Amino acid sequence: MRSNNIILETAIKVILFIIVLFSVYIFFAGHYYPGGGFIGGLMTAGALVLLLIAYDIKTVSMILPFNYRIMTGIGLLFAIGTSAGAIFFNVPFLTHAFGHIDLPILGEISLHTATIFDLGVYLVVVGVSMTIIQTIGEDE
Amino acid sequence: MNANIPSEVLPILLILIGTIFSLLSAIGLVRLPDVYTRSHAASKSTTLGVLFILVGTFLFFLLEEHYFSIRLFLGIFFVFLTAPVAAHVLVRSAYRSNVALAEESVQDDLKDFIHTDSKKTKDAEVNNTD
């Protein structure tokens, strides 16, 4: 049973997009500015918690049908994959590479494999915090 | 120090006004009698104070360093949007858990709509807002 607080729901609908966008910005800015995978993941989890405050668990899992345990596993696979990929190029484990690549629309951008490692951290943080919160929340 | 007077005076003035508003709201928080009037003082003037401080900081970086800080801009928008909603939710849950109004209050229009409900739905509401 949930109350009909329309002000909270409408405000959260607007705020949610700002928080998710800001967390994505924080995630991508992590190489040159304060930020990165951990704080971006926590902020995304915070946005999902706001959604959980406005609606109930069933509605949220209907809107976002993720299994957060699998998300954690995929994040760990990303981290291990980018780390272990270095072995195939005869360099030590966890050696990262970067290069300037010309993309059709975006022009020349510098891509770094550490971003994929960071994406793994991001997915693990979102997955673990959402698993903890949902497990506590579901307990009747 | 920079001799650029007008670009420094405006942020200083805004930040000063913001701190004065924050102080006034803190005084209101101590002086006012019940939850509802305190929340009135705390939400409105603190929001205004924080907005003044943020706008002052934003203008300082814009005029002095020529740096358009999108995060401060977003922060201004965000505080403006969230602080009243937070105050609304707090006061709503306080009213639904039967927190008494101050003795000087003369009007309680919501009483007829909420407290005359059956006991069962009210308990469910209280549990839910907890």
Side-chain angles (χ1 to χ4, degrees):
Chain A
M1 170 151 182
R2 45 180 279 259
S3 65
N4 50 347
N5 195 340
I6 194 85
I7 297 177
L8 185 66
E9 284 177 15
T10 313
I12 281 176
K13 270 177 207 160
V14 179
I15 292 163
L16 189 79
F17 288 107
I18 303 175
I19 298 178
V20 170
L21 273 179
F22 194 63
S23 75
V24 171
Y25 163 74
I26 287 272
F27 170 73
F28 279 113
H31 201 71
Y32 295 105
Y33 298 102
F38 184 77
I39 192 73
L42 271 186
M43 208 176 273
T44 308
L48 295 179
V49 169
L50 266 184
L51 208 59
L52 279 173
I53 289 174
Y55 305 100
D56 51 5
I57 287 182
K58 281 197 184 113
T59 317
V60 173
S61 59
M62 204 174 66
I63 298 169
L64 299 165
F66 297 140
N67 187 343
Y68 292 104
R69 294 182 194 91
I70 293 176
M71 187 188 266
T72 311
I74 291 172
L76 285 173
L77 275 183
F78 271 145
I80 292 175
T82 45
S83 312
I87 293 175
F88 296 112
F89 296 95
N90 273 332
V91 283
F93 189 72
L94 270 172
T95 305
H96 287 290
F98 77 99
H100 298 274
I101 294 168
D102 254 334
L103 288 181
I105 301 166
L106 299 170
E108 186 189 325
I109 55 171
S110 154
L111 293 179
H112 203 297
T113 53
T115 312
I116 306 172
F117 187 84
D118 230 16
L119 184 67
V121 175
Y122 178 90
L123 289 176
V124 168
V125 170
V126 173
V128 168
S129 42
M130 286 314 290
T131 307
I132 292 171
I133 288 161
Q134 278 195 339
T135 314
I136 295 171
E138 273 170 353
D139 224 345
E140 289 286 315
Chain B
M1 277 307 191
N2 242 335
N4 203 351
I5 295 301
S7 73
E8 279 183 356
V9 166
L10 189 62
I12 286 173
L13 217 63
L14 286 174
I15 293 173
L16 199 65
I17 292 171
T19 48
I20 289 169
F21 264 110
S22 302
L23 180 69
L24 282 179
S25 97
I27 293 172
L29 207 61
V30 176
R31 294 280 298 159
L32 287 170
D34 67 345
V35 176
Y36 309 103
T37 45
R38 274 177 193 163
S39 145
H40 175 81
S43 67
K44 280 189 176 59
S45 43
T46 312
T47 311
L48 194 65
V50 171
L51 284 179
F52 264 112
I53 293 172
L54 284 177
V55 170
T57 320
F58 177 75
L59 280 180
F60 177 80
F61 281 112
L62 189 65
L63 299 173
E64 205 70 8
E65 321 243 314
H66 300 289
Y67 172 66
F68 187 89
S69 173
I70 192 72
R71 293 179 223 192
L72 274 172
F73 195 73
L74 209 63
I76 293 165
F77 182 68
F78 198 76
V79 169
F80 188 61
L81 202 66
T82 51
V85 179
H88 160 76
V89 172
L90 277 176
V91 171
R92 188 178 195 261
S93 60
Y95 192 83
R96 296 199 168 214
S97 9
N98 295 323
V99 176
L101 273 69
E103 307 218 331
E104 295 87 359
S105 310
V106 289
Q107 206 169 357
D108 189 3
D109 286 343
L110 256 183
K111 196 194 228 165
D112 304 330
F113 294 98
I114 289 177
H115 291 315
T116 53
D117 283 354
S118 67
K119 182 88 174 126
K120 204 169 131 192
T121 56
K122 199 177 72 185
D123 280 349
E125 281 288 342
V126 168
N127 285 336
N128 199 25
T129 45
D130 280 345

